[in-house]
Amino acid sequence: MAVPPVLIGGIAKATLWNETDYFLVHNKTLPIPKDDTRMILPMVLQYLTPSFVSFFGLGAVSAAVMSSADSSVLSASSMFARNVYKLIFRQNASETEVMWVMRV
């Protein structure tokens, strides 16, 4: 799982950024400022790949972030429903009732 980030970082490091649109758009500043290094994946996708690859690549990153956020919300609601609602408020709650609490 660590190979793609290392490859993207290596590609970004080896790129001659003064030959890309990044150099023209960002007032001809080189090297990439320190605060832009955390944005290296979007920069590589935007300036070194065709538009459709950039579109799908950034879409994949957005989908991964949304999936992680969704998992976190589901986990929190499940823990609340089982550990708080069922144990504190309604000890005799059925599984169907607990599922409805999770959905709310």
Side-chain angles (χ1 to χ4, degrees):
M1 295 301 283
V3 174
V6 170
L7 286 176
I8 291 170
I11 290 168
K13 182 73 172 170
T15 298
L16 298 174
W17 289 98
N18 58 345
E19 296 178 5
T20 65
D21 289 339
Y22 177 84
F23 185 68
L24 300 174
V25 172
H26 293 280
N27 300 325
K28 300 184 180 182
T29 57
L30 284 178
I32 299 170
K34 292 263 189 224
D35 53 339
D36 279 350
T37 56
R38 62 184 166 75
M39 299 293 291
I40 205 68
L41 175 64
M43 289 170 52
V44 166
L45 287 174
Q46 182 178 3
Y47 295 110
L48 301 179
T49 62
S51 296
F52 68 92
V53 173
S54 177
F55 176 77
F56 285 113
L58 292 176
V61 170
S62 298
V65 169
M66 286 187 284
S67 174
S68 296
D70 179 54
S71 297
S72 297
V73 169
L74 178 62
S75 175
S77 69
S78 176
M79 286 189 305
F80 172 80
R82 299 224 186 267
N83 296 334
V84 176
Y85 183 77
K86 187 166 182 165
L87 294 178
I88 296 174
F89 296 118
R90 294 216 6 140
Q91 289 83 15
N92 298 331
S94 66
E95 282 300 311
T96 307
E97 187 177 345
V98 173
M99 290 295 286
W100 277 105
V101 170
M102 278 194 279
R103 290 178 184 162
V104 172

